[in-house]
């Protein structure tokens, strides 16, 4: 069984991430969406809310699981018996970073883990979570960037956080 992990911060999840999730779930037998719980970086949305939002979006897929993880990605991957990392490539700039991470993760895992890069669909290639956070901060319209099903959750949370 080919189990792939799609790791990220997902703070919050965007239409761009969903594009990669939907397409990867067709390529692999099982996809684990792994939300990084970074103790040094608080983020806008607490981890359990990021997991809940993504879970809501993928509930119709029976081969997608959503979990949070801490520490090294390759160590987490052992716990779910996965050997493939999926990452999305939006623009050329992403490539250099992903190339380095891919080599790092392969070395760290003694050649056990391979990274597969999936080209982001052009209509989402400019979206990032940090731009969504910035739009939220200035009370702009996020509807073109965030999946419709979670817009209310995102708006509600950002309102309470801004006080
Ligand atoms: N659509 C929309 N946005 C995308 C995207 C896509 N297809 N692909 C990437 N992005 C965005 C992300 O949301 C993120 O946006 P932001 O910086 O505005 O928040 C940005 O592009 C960078 O993405 P990525 O490189 O995937 O970073 P990340 O923070 O989401 O995830 C981990 C990084 C979790 C994969 C990585 O830090 C990790 O594996 N950490 C664990 C520790 C470890 O093992 N390190 C490796 C050893 S050195």
């Amino acid at each position: 069984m080919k189990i792939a992990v799609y790791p990220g911060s997902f703070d919050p999840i965007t239409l761009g991430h969903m594009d990669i999730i939907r397409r990867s779930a067709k390529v692999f037998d099982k996809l684990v969406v792994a939300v990084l719980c970074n103790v040094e970086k608080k983020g806008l949305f607490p981890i359990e809310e990021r997991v809940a939002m993504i879970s809501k979006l993928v509930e119709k897929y029976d081969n997608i699981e959503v979990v949070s993880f801490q520490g090294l990605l390759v160590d987490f991957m052992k716990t779910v018996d996965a050997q493939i990392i999926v990452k999305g490539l939006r623009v050329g700039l992403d490539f250099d970073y992903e190339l380095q991470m891919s080599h790092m993760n392969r070395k760290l895992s003694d050649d056990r883990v391979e990274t597969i890069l999936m080209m982001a669909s052009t209509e989402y290639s400019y979206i990032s979570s940090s731009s969504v956070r910035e739009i939220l901060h200035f009370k702009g319209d996020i509807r073109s960037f965030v999946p419709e099903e979670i817009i209310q959750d995102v708006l509600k949370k950002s309102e309470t956080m801004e006080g």
Side-chain angles (χ1 to χ4, degrees):
M1 176 144 113
K2 291 262 177 274
I3 305 174
V5 168
Y6 181 42
S9 303
F10 305 109
D11 187 32
I13 186 159
T14 67
L15 286 171
H17 295 128
M18 277 311 293
D19 166 52
I20 301 293
I21 291 174
R22 231 183 345 255
R23 289 163 54 209
S24 312
K26 287 192 207 154
V27 175
F28 303 105
D29 299 315
K30 181 175 170 184
L31 183 71
V32 178
V33 180
V35 184
L36 176 68
C37 181
N38 188 343
V39 277
E40 276 153 35
K41 210 169 125 193
K42 195 170 156 272
L44 180 60
F45 295 89
I47 296 299
E48 41 309 342
E49 290 182 19
R50 295 183 214 175
V51 170
M53 282 192 271
I54 305 170
S55 301
K56 186 170 172 178
L57 293 168
V58 302
E59 65 188 359
K60 55 180 176 288
Y61 299 88
D62 50 19
N63 66 335
I64 305 181
E65 193 184 325
V66 187
V67 290
S68 63
F69 77 101
Q70 285 185 12
L72 288 180
L73 178 59
V74 293
D75 291 339
F76 163 75
M77 290 178 68
K78 277 191 208 148
T79 68
V80 289
D81 201 21
Q83 292 173 4
I84 306 161
I85 300 171
V86 183
K87 294 298 299 277
L89 208 56
R90 296 167 298 172
V91 290
L93 205 62
D94 285 345
F95 179 75
D96 290 349
Y97 173 72
E98 296 302 346
L99 182 68
Q100 186 198 0
M101 289 297 275
S102 150
H103 287 311
M104 282 277 193
N105 284 320
R106 192 149 65 91
K107 192 79 182 164
L108 278 171
S109 68
D110 291 327
D111 289 352
R112 190 177 47 88
V113 165
E114 294 288 354
T115 301
I116 306 285
L117 298 178
M118 182 172 277
M119 309 310 138
S121 299
T122 48
E123 63 266 44
Y124 304 125
S125 62
Y126 61 94
I127 301 177
S128 70
S129 297
S130 49
S131 42
V132 169
R133 291 197 299 275
E134 190 165 336
I135 297 166
L136 279 172
H137 179 73
F138 293 112
K139 311 246 179 288
D141 187 352
I142 56 163
R143 280 176 300 179
S144 304
F145 316 115
V146 172
E148 202 186 338
E149 302 92 311
I150 59 158
I151 287 202
Q152 289 313 319
D153 300 328
V154 171
L155 291 177
K156 212 183 298 164
K157 184 71 201 171
S158 71
E159 275 162 23
T160 48
M161 287 185 140
E162 306 272 324

